[in-house]
Structures are given as C-alpha cells and as structure tokens.
Amino acid sequence: EDQVTQSPEALRLQEGESSSLNCSYTVSGLRGLFWYRQDPGKGPEFLFTLYSAGEEKEKERLKATLTKKESFLHITAPKPEDSATYLCAVQAVFHAGKSTFGDGTTLTVKP
Amino acid sequence: EAGVTQSPTHLIKTRGQQATLRCSPISGHTSVYWYQQALGLGLQFLLWYDEGEERNRGNFPPRFSGRQFPNYSSELNVNALELEDSALYLCASSLVYEQYFGPGTRLTVT
C-alpha cells in the first residue's frame, strides 16, 4: 500500500529563517510526487510535480527536490504570507488516478 | 482561466438523509476526482471519473457514489448520511497527472 509521511507536523519560523519540510514515501512504481499548499478552509493549491530522483523544481522562495525515498520542500527566507499547510502526495503507476496524501506540515512564519 | 468550481459551499443535513455535491472541472480537463478531508485528518481518495466512467474507487462504502456528465462535470452522492460523514469534500480535475482542486463543500451532518 502506498504511504506518505510528512515531518515535522508543525514548524514555526521567524521571517527570513530558511528551513526544509520532509516527505517520505513508499510506493510501488512512482508516477509522480506532488506538493500542494492549503490555506485553512480552502482547497489545496498545486505547487510542483516531480517525476524522478534528482529532479528539482523552483517557484519564488520554494524549491522541491526528490530522491528515491523522500522529497524535500526548501523554503528560503520565508515571509508571513508563506504560512499554510504544505501537503505532499504520490501517484503510483499501478493505482491510476489515486493520489495518496500525507497529513501535511503546518508552517507558521512570524514577522 | 476559471478554476474548479464546487457547489454548494456549505451543506447541512440530518443523519439518514442524502447529500448531493456538484463539481465543474477546469475547461478542457476530462478527469474529475473526489476526496474527503475530515477534521484533523488528511485527504482520503474517494472516486475518479474519466470520460464519463468510474475509473478507480477508494476504501469507502457503496453509499458514496457519483457520476460524470457529458460536459465532464460531476456529482457526488452520499446516501444514508452518518455523523462521521461530516467533512470538507474536495473535487479536483486534471488533464494529465497534476490535480487542481476546487474550494470544497463543507458537509455537516447533525
């Protein structure tokens, strides 16, 4: 069964203090790993797709990386508006259409 | 470009009743997915529809069902509502692999 574990559950940073979020996964044949941002009471907002180990994607202060067992979401010089829950999800080649989500990391950035 | 839309925003039902939730995908997307996000829990996969057919189903009882219409919009029906069905129901659409989510329908069962 596909599994996704995210750590830490919660992360509090000062504005400008860089850090990383971890997503460990177990899947039989990775089709893709996805990162989303979710604000309270809203639907997840798509950020990145990573397909193979060694791949990296960047968007503003966010950078996602992928290995064969885990993915990291690096946040450089975060701002208060980066506060949200960040979700990681995987799709397996043999479980078409189904994304398995982790429980998320709730990031709070204090000014 | 308009995103995924869902209606209603909020829905309050009594235990034993039926609920119908609606979703319109992004224009050009043929796949629609439904997820349940209960308070304090992660997103749980419910159903995947593509080209009008149910393609995959999560570990939910048969009282959770749905359909996809010729215009690719979708409906999720929940019969015989139970208190634990209270959750945020999210719809997503995709063209290939990335799933784009709507704002969700908050279902409260009393």
Side-chain angles (χ1 to χ4, degrees):
Chain A
E1 188 177 326
D2 306 334
Q3 287 190 325
V4 177
T5 303
Q6 292 188 245
S7 62
E9 284 186 23
L11 182 62
R12 296 171 66 91
L13 300 173
Q14 287 296 128
E15 184 172 1
E17 179 186 2
S18 301
S19 188
S20 297
L21 283 56
N22 177 263
C23 170
S24 297
Y25 65 91
T26 303
V27 64
S28 299
L30 180 69
R31 168 168 280 163
L33 184 142
F34 310 92
W35 282 99
Y36 293 87
R37 168 193 170 126
Q38 186 175 27
D39 292 302
K42 297 188 176 182
E45 174 191 345
F46 171 76
L47 293 173
F48 303 110
T49 304
L50 301 167
Y51 292 105
S52 57
E55 191 174 0
E56 299 182 351
K57 294 275 180 73
E58 282 188 74
K59 179 181 178 180
E60 297 180 355
R61 295 177 291 282
L62 301 176
K63 179 180 177 180
T65 62
L66 181 65
T67 73
K68 288 187 177 180
K69 294 183 178 180
E70 57 190 352
S71 176
F72 292 93
L73 185 64
H74 306 279
I75 303 177
T76 302
K79 299 181 177 182
E81 52 262 43
D82 294 323
S83 298
T85 295
Y86 290 86
L87 299 170
C88 172
V90 296
Q91 276 189 32
V93 171
F94 302 109
H95 298 153
K98 173 186 174 183
S99 286
T100 299
F101 281 80
D103 290 337
T105 293
T106 300
L107 173 67
T108 304
V109 182
K110 295 292 190 182
Chain B
E1 178 183 280
V4 177
T5 59
Q6 293 186 244
S7 63
T9 304
H10 294 92
L11 190 57
I12 300 174
K13 292 286 186 178
T14 303
R15 190 171 51 184
Q17 287 187 319
Q18 178 195 44
T20 299
L21 289 63
R22 296 178 176 84
C23 171
S24 292
I26 292 171
S27 178
H29 287 190
T30 60
S31 281
V32 171
Y33 311 81
W34 288 96
Y35 291 85
Q36 181 194 67
Q37 189 175 33
L39 196 62
L41 297 178
L43 276 78
Q44 301 295 319
F45 170 75
L46 267 166
L47 291 158
W48 170 34
Y49 291 95
D50 182 60
E51 297 286 356
E53 299 286 332
E54 181 180 303
R55 302 294 186 182
N56 201 355
R57 183 182 182 87
N59 295 327
F60 282 84
R63 58 190 186 82
F64 287 84
S65 65
R67 53 181 173 167
Q68 187 178 33
F69 299 100
N71 66 352
Y72 302 113
S73 67
S74 177
E75 219 173 62
L76 175 68
N77 294 294
V78 187
N79 293 320
L81 285 165
E82 300 179 1
L83 296 178
E84 50 266 35
D85 296 333
S86 295
L88 181 67
Y89 288 83
L90 292 160
C91 171
S93 73
S94 76
L95 191 57
V96 187
Y97 301 133
E98 296 90 358
Q99 297 177 8
Y100 296 87
F101 285 83
T105 292
R106 173 72 62 186
L107 173 63
T108 302
V109 183
T110 62

